[in-house]
Amino acid sequence: MGLQRTTLLLYSILAFQVGKAQEKPLISKRVYDTKPISAIDSPTIDGIIDEKGWDIVDWSSDFLEREPDENTAPTEQTKFKIIYDKKFLYIAFRCYDNDPSKIVKRMSRRDGFEGDWVEINIDSYHDKRTGFSFTSSVSSVKGDEFISNNGNNWDGSWNPIWYLKTNIDEEGWTAELKIPFSQLKFGNDKEQVWGIQVQRRFFRAEERSTWQRIPLDSPGWVSEFGELHGLKDIEPQKQIEIQPYSASQLNSYPEEKGNPFRDGNDTKVSAGLDAKIGITNDLTLDLTVNPDFGQVDADPAAIALDGFQIFFEERRPFFVENKNIFDFRFADNPDNLFYSRRIGRNPQGSASLSENEFVKQPKYSTIIGAAKFSGKTKTGWSLGILESVTDNEYAEIDNNGSRREQKVEPLTNYFVGRAQKDFNHRNSFIGGIFTATNRNLVGDDLSYLRKSAYTAGIDFQHNWKNRKYYAIGNVVSSHVLGSREAIARTQNSLTHLFQRVDASHVEVDTMRTSLTGTGGRFEIGKSSVGNWRYYTAVLWRSPELELNDVGFLRQADEVRQYASISHQTLKPFGYFRRINTRFEQFSSYDFEGNYNRMQYSINANANLKSNWNFNSQVVYKPRIYTNTILQGGPRFRYSEEVFKYINFNSDGRKKFSFYGGIYHSQGKDDSFSYLEYDGGVAYQPINSLTISLSPNYAINKSKTQYVTETDFNGEPRYITAELSQHTLNATIRVDYSINPNLTIQYYGQPFISTGIYKSFNKVTDPIAHFYGDRIALFQPNQINFAESDNTYQIDENMDGTTDYTFENPNFSQVSFNSNLVIRWEYIPGSELFLVWSQGIFANGSARENLFSGINDQLFHRQPENIFLIKATYRFAL
């Protein structure tokens, strides 16, 4: 009944609001008229606006404050000019400041957005959904991003070639930009109309002002831009860029006596090629051959006690750039039909070893080559095609000098095709995606892998009442094929668990050679105008849905319902710049109809006039059932839970800033708990140097933590225990910018996590109301620890004979990852990297004190080091 009442309430609010809604008066679009200049009059980009070419157009000013006090006069005014010739767009900014000595000239690497800056956003497609952003800091640091989804996504991986210089004078500061038309995308109309927006950050007051007024309750960003007129007879410039690279790498590590693969060091020399070719001015072909990503930070350390795969963000430049075009999130984050980390993944197989054999196992699958064809046409089509091939990977095995190879990953082809079409005056779109993964499994022993996997999806969005209301949705399907072994393995995987003993709607069929599933999401809500916003949604993932060949899916067999209502203030008041509050509710079912979850939450965010932020949330979970915790066993109940947190951060503009937070969860009757302390400090002693430290400490406790499944007289036994897990980690960063093109960056993360199990028990009544009735503790005369083989021996019927055993689950994992990267962009688009990476990975004693464990288990170990020199050169033809 709670679900029905909540859903009906949201629908009633929505129907009432739509019924009484009136068309909001439109804010008039500002227009800037540009003019062409001859090449001989093109300005010199030196930051000083004194060339006569600028005189043919007028300044445009009258900026309005957007934050914190929207639609008021800003503290300082800004003005700009735009001119163009056959190949370039030129922009001049004048940023007034009544005390130039207080202008904050912070330095950073590209896309740092530190200190005072001004930016121009250009919707050259004029599709009112996408744009290109060029940011100029007062220190001449560039920032560039591709804007999509009407301002909801800003992709900083886009790195076009353009030119910038700034200057400080007695009136404030100025900037000159020169942007090649080849870096923008537009049609071939004789006279162009583009959307534009100019925004300035006045750092001292943490104030944003804009040329085109966009209220805080607007439905989007790009759709509200002003317009640039006067672009006549400009010709689309086809882009051809080729960027070869070469790299030399030295690996050093502790020598292992007798292991021929671990003699203390290895060397590697590699070369490859990246290319960007403008097929048309709208569509670009990106190619990479034998790519190297040695300069990319390592993934953060993590432990998943629930057995589910961990989602890691993509950081490799080729796959990050334009990733928004291929994005197809269909349900909850991070569920997606395309997860690029699958390409070049860790090999899925492992070598079979005999006694006295050593193995050299590849860490990643080699990407032979990859190509992307992507862009957006003037007619509103967004297109993306990605094709990639990864090589066969072999583990090399040595037996007293005799070598053999065993394949651990097959030759694999990945394909992704994505399309979207805007219509209805850019208020609506419809799109689709298709992916294919095909593995060459002929003649090898990897038949437990799926041979082929195909997915398809359709998505849409419709906005009405000046984008005040919206409806959005998608439907996806999957079809995977393989041997009986591969499909049985898929059915038994944690994502599906068809073997669940109490599930009547699924079962493992060992004769099947394919699976087909569906999923999707539908949502309707109010997105703008006024203080209130709300939505309601439903999503599903059918039991046979499988996306994990080139996508990401954590769990299938679920139906969820969501409802949310939020309130935001639009004007500063009292001590506050802004306050946002939100109430959310969701419920969850499986395809058998089991009612598994109900959750309510309320959160609040307060931004103070002092630029401090405070966030808090309370979540109440009165009903929690899970189909996965016993990993094939029956549905299990958790006691009702209350989760809450509060965190804050100080004014990040200060030379010294800090943040902190406490997160706490408690199960009824103390059946489980979680406590986390999070914090950090950042110090910027000079404009070019930033040092930060972010420690984190967490305590995770559960009296019914799953350990393993075993068997007693033909009956399954699901073993759980009381767990006490302590995790300590920290992230250390040092960023030093010698100039905008020469930076030194250091990243380090020590990590240790220990877990100690006690009070072992078996599950007896998994859905009992009281947690103690769900389990039966083993008595002292039923359980014995055999230290010789590190196992627990269970004599369940107490007849003096061991009935079953299981391994001691205690663990202690320690690691240290670090990267030191010197990056020099010696000419625009061409870079030199010097990289030193260090890693320590070990399993230590779970009984040791956590803090002493860091010292004994981590810092007393010899690290593995990687030294890399990588050079790229960008040819623009």
Side-chain angles (χ1 to χ4, degrees):
M1 290 299 294
L3 165 61
Q4 294 174 341
R5 285 196 298 268
T6 304
T7 305
L8 287 173
L9 173 63
L10 264 294
Y11 274 118
S12 299
I13 294 173
L14 179 61
F16 175 72
Q17 290 288 344
V18 172
K20 76 183 187 73
Q22 301 294 321
E23 294 283 351
K24 183 180 179 181
L26 294 175
I27 295 172
S28 60
K29 297 280 189 180
R30 299 191 68 181
V31 174
Y32 184 84
D33 288 301
T34 185
K35 294 180 181 179
I37 58 172
S38 63
I40 196 171
D41 292 327
S42 298
T44 302
I45 304 302
D46 56 8
I48 302 173
I49 309 167
D50 57 359
E51 294 86 359
K52 67 177 183 178
W54 294 114
D55 297 336
I56 68 170
V57 293
D58 297 324
W59 289 104
S60 185
S61 188
D62 298 325
F63 279 53
L64 289 173
E65 186 174 317
R66 189 167 194 268
E67 294 181 13
D69 195 1
E70 200 272 324
N71 199 26
T72 60
T75 303
E76 299 286 357
Q77 263 300 336
T78 308
K79 62 184 183 181
F80 69 92
K81 289 184 174 186
I82 300 176
I83 55 179
Y84 67 96
D85 59 23
K86 290 293 186 181
K87 292 188 175 182
F88 299 97
L89 188 73
Y90 302 88
I91 302 112
F93 294 110
R94 159 62 70 182
C95 302
Y96 289 101
D97 196 311
N98 61 15
D99 190 350
S101 65
K102 294 183 179 179
I103 293 173
V104 179
K105 304 179 289 295
R106 288 191 177 172
M107 191 73 72
S108 70
R109 68 169 298 175
R110 193 169 189 151
D111 298 330
F113 307 108
E114 296 285 350
D116 283 278
W117 52 253
V118 64
E119 72 178 14
I120 183 167
N121 300 163
I122 302 173
D123 176 13
S124 53
Y125 291 119
H126 208 211
D127 63 5
K128 301 184 180 181
R129 290 183 60 216
T130 61
F132 304 93
S133 179
F134 299 87
T135 303
S136 313
S137 86
V138 69
S139 301
S140 291
V141 177
K142 297 175 184 176
D144 28 52
E145 298 165 290
F146 179 72
I147 311 168
S148 61
N149 196 16
N150 201 9
N152 288 320
N153 293 322
W154 295 68
D155 183 1
S157 66
W158 179 61
N159 289 322
I161 295 176
W162 57 290
Y163 307 89
L164 165 68
K165 287 293 182 180
T166 59
N167 181 63
I168 297 177
D169 57 26
E170 65 279 1
E171 292 185 292
W173 64 281
T174 56
E176 285 185 308
L177 286 69
K178 177 181 174 181
I179 302 172
F181 283 131
S182 63
Q183 307 299 302
L184 301 172
K185 307 298 180 186
F186 52 90
N188 53 9
D189 294 344
K190 180 176 178 61
E191 184 169 357
Q192 307 271 335
V193 175
W194 294 356
I196 61 164
Q197 173 68 298
V198 177
Q199 180 173 213
R200 179 184 175 186
R201 180 192 193 188
F202 183 58
F203 186 81
R204 297 200 299 280
E206 191 56 293
E207 178 183 292
R208 304 289 197 278
S209 58
T210 57
W211 174 68
Q212 171 67 55
R213 184 193 170 201
I214 302 180
L216 295 177
D217 62 345
S218 292
W221 180 250
V222 182
S223 60
E224 314 305 304
F225 282 3
E227 294 182 348
L228 176 64
H229 291 193
L231 293 166
K232 300 178 181 178
D233 298 317
I234 59 171
E235 297 180 2
Q237 305 289 313
K238 291 186 179 180
Q239 181 183 20
I240 301 178
E241 297 173 7
I242 300 173
Q243 188 176 49
Y245 85 86
S246 62
S248 298
Q249 180 175 314
L250 170 65
N251 300 350
S252 69
Y253 45 82
E255 181 180 357
E256 295 181 15
K257 296 295 184 181
N259 187 343
F261 300 119
R262 301 283 292 180
D263 59 3
N265 63 78
D266 297 316
T267 59
K268 176 184 176 182
V269 177
S270 60
L273 179 74
D274 294 327
K276 189 183 293 289
I277 303 171
I279 304 302
T280 69
N281 188 60
D282 300 313
L283 302 170
T284 302
L285 177 64
D286 292 90
L287 303 169
T288 185
V289 178
N290 192 33
D292 176 87
F293 306 113
Q295 74 275 20
V296 177
D297 286 349
D299 291 319
I303 294 177
L305 292 180
D306 57 9
F308 283 105
Q309 58 183 323
I310 299 173
F311 181 89
F312 290 113
E313 294 291 338
E314 179 61 86
R315 301 182 181 185
R316 299 170 296 176
F318 176 83
F319 295 103
V320 169
E321 187 173 0
N322 292 333
K323 67 179 179 180
N324 61 287
I325 291 179
F326 297 93
D327 187 60
F328 199 103
R329 299 179 188 178
F330 76 94
D332 288 341
N333 290 333
D335 293 343
N336 207 311
L337 265 65
F338 179 49
Y339 178 45
S340 57
R341 292 291 295 261
R342 302 294 184 201
I343 303 175
R345 68 189 304 166
N346 304 110
Q348 299 172 81
S350 58
S352 302
L353 299 180
S354 302
E355 191 176 354
N356 299 322
E357 286 189 328
F358 296 95
V359 63
K360 182 179 182 181
Q361 176 87 8
K363 293 182 178 180
Y364 306 102
S365 304
T366 301
I367 301 173
I368 299 173
K372 286 189 300 184
F373 178 72
S374 59
K376 184 160 188 175
T377 69
K378 183 66 175 178
T379 57
W381 279 100
S382 295
L383 301 173
I385 296 174
L386 184 145
E387 176 80 18
S388 181
V389 178
T390 58
D391 204 357
N392 291 309
E393 293 296 335
Y394 296 89
E396 190 175 2
I397 302 165
D398 182 277
N399 189 336
N400 295 319
S402 176
R403 299 285 177 97
R404 62 184 175 90
E405 289 184 337
Q406 182 176 340
K407 187 183 291 188
V408 292
E409 183 72 19
L411 181 73
T412 306
N413 178 266
Y414 300 93
F415 173 85
V416 183
R418 181 78 162 105
Q420 275 188 348
K421 179 66 170 70
D422 298 334
F423 62 98
N424 187 26
H425 305 290
R426 312 293 186 178
N427 287 310
S428 308
F429 73 76
I430 188 168
I433 189 173
F434 175 77
T435 77
T437 305
N438 290 284
R439 299 184 175 92
N440 182 12
L441 298 177
V442 177
D444 58 49
D445 55 356
L446 296 174
S447 59
Y448 55 84
L449 299 180
R450 293 184 287 271
K451 179 177 177 59
S452 302
Y454 306 99
T455 66
I458 297 174
D459 60 346
F460 72 89
Q461 180 169 335
H462 174 60
N463 301 282
W464 68 95
K465 291 283 186 182
N466 297 324
R467 298 178 180 261
K468 182 177 180 179
Y469 301 99
Y470 72 93
I472 188 170
N474 55 64
V475 179
V476 305
S477 65
S478 68
H479 184 63
V480 297
L481 303 97
S483 67
R484 293 175 182 176
E485 180 186 8
I487 299 305
R489 188 169 178 254
T490 302
Q491 294 175 77
N492 284 283
S493 69
L494 194 57
T495 300
H496 301 280
L497 295 175
F498 281 16
Q499 72 273 31
R500 297 199 307 271
V501 296
D502 59 346
S504 62
H505 64 301
V506 292
E507 63 178 353
V508 176
D509 184 347
T510 57
M511 301 302 292
R512 294 190 65 173
T513 57
S514 68
L515 294 173
T516 301
T518 65
R521 178 185 177 106
F522 293 100
E523 178 181 326
I524 186 170
K526 176 178 179 282
S527 62
S528 68
V529 184
N531 303 91
W532 293 95
R533 303 187 183 202
Y534 43 81
Y535 74 86
T536 185
V538 62
L539 63 87
W540 78 96
R541 310 175 192 89
S542 75
E544 293 191 13
L545 183 67
E546 175 55 60
L547 307 178
N548 290 313
D549 291 275
V550 74
F552 189 95
L553 178 66
R554 189 174 188 269
Q555 183 181 350
D557 193 9
E558 184 177 27
V559 178
R560 283 196 179 193
Q561 165 273 331
Y562 286 91
S564 173
I565 184 167
S566 61
H567 180 273
Q568 63 175 346
T569 60
L570 301 176
K571 283 286 187 178
F573 66 96
Y575 294 101
F576 301 99
R577 283 180 168 228
R578 187 187 301 183
I579 294 179
N580 295 325
T581 55
R582 173 175 293 182
F583 171 78
E584 291 183 315
Q585 168 272 335
F586 90 79
S587 59
S588 174
Y589 302 79
D590 61 33
F591 271 65
E592 192 175 24
N594 293 311
Y595 175 25
N596 289 331
R597 194 171 184 122
M598 174 60 77
Q599 177 174 308
Y600 305 95
S601 69
I602 184 167
N603 58 46
N605 164 260
N607 178 219
L608 277 60
K609 289 183 177 178
S610 62
N611 284 301
W612 284 52
N613 281 283
F614 289 87
N615 301 279
S616 63
Q617 183 179 42
V618 176
V619 182
Y620 174 53
K621 306 175 186 179
R623 186 180 185 91
I624 312 172
Y625 288 82
T626 171
N627 291 333
T628 61
I629 190 64
L630 297 182
Q631 300 187 15
R635 185 165 165 255
F636 189 84
R637 180 174 186 167
Y638 279 112
S639 301
E640 65 182 75
E641 175 187 1
V642 176
F643 169 79
K644 60 270 188 188
Y645 76 79
I646 183 169
N647 61 37
F648 73 93
N649 61 271
S650 68
D651 186 353
R653 299 171 304 149
K654 304 296 185 182
K655 287 186 175 295
F656 181 80
S657 61
F658 51 93
Y659 72 90
I662 299 176
Y663 305 80
H664 180 250
S665 178
Q666 184 70 52
K668 188 177 180 179
D669 301 316
D670 198 28
S671 56
F672 61 87
S673 66
Y674 179 81
L675 179 62
E676 178 181 344
Y677 301 97
D678 190 35
V681 296
Y683 180 51
Q684 191 165 29
I686 57 177
N687 283 329
S688 57
L689 176 63
T690 302
I691 304 168
S692 65
L693 172 65
S694 303
N696 179 281
Y697 178 57
I699 304 170
N700 175 39
K701 294 184 177 182
S702 175
K703 293 182 179 178
T704 55
Q705 177 64 44
Y706 177 74
V707 176
T708 189
E709 177 187 352
T710 186
D711 178 88
F712 176 60
N713 289 337
E715 295 184 2
R717 288 291 182 265
Y718 303 99
I719 309 302
T720 69
E722 183 176 340
L723 167 68
S724 179
Q725 179 190 9
H726 295 252
T727 302
L728 177 66
N729 69 81
T731 299
I732 307 158
R733 292 188 181 273
V734 180
D735 297 314
Y736 180 57
S737 301
I738 299 171
N739 60 52
N741 300 315
L742 180 57
T743 59
I744 302 173
Q745 293 186 304
Y746 174 79
Y747 161 84
Q749 188 201 44
F751 173 92
I752 182 169
S753 183
T754 64
I756 297 177
Y757 292 76
K758 64 179 184 179
S759 302
F760 292 91
N761 57 78
K762 62 180 180 180
V763 176
T764 54
D765 185 357
I767 58 174
H769 181 74
F770 174 57
Y771 88 90
D773 295 333
R774 300 172 206 148
I775 58 175
L777 290 171
F778 291 124
Q779 300 303 309
N781 58 348
Q782 290 180 299
I783 185 169
N784 176 63
F785 178 63
E787 191 170 354
S788 59
D789 57 1
N790 198 34
T791 61
Y792 283 93
Q793 301 171 341
I794 305 298
D795 178 12
E796 186 172 318
N797 57 12
M798 295 179 290
D799 63 356
T801 302
T802 298
D803 297 312
Y804 48 88
T805 64
F806 54 87
E807 291 185 2
N808 179 7
N810 289 351
F811 64 87
S812 178
Q813 179 178 312
V814 295
S815 67
F816 179 76
N817 292 314
S818 70
N819 277 56
L820 177 65
V821 180
I822 301 174
R823 171 189 169 273
W824 177 32
E825 188 175 9
Y826 54 94
I827 58 175
S830 301
E831 298 172 310
L832 176 67
F833 296 95
L834 303 178
V835 182
W836 173 29
S837 297
Q838 191 174 79
I840 302 173
F841 309 93
N843 293 314
S845 170
R847 295 288 175 181
E848 195 167 351
N849 178 273
L850 189 68
F851 294 93
S852 64
I854 287 184
N855 182 54
D856 297 338
Q857 302 175 36
L858 192 62
F859 296 119
H860 285 180
R861 294 180 180 270
Q862 184 179 345
E864 296 192 12
N865 294 284
I866 299 176
F867 301 93
L868 173 73
I869 301 176
K870 179 179 177 181
T872 71
Y873 188 85
R874 194 172 189 175
F875 296 92
L877 306 178

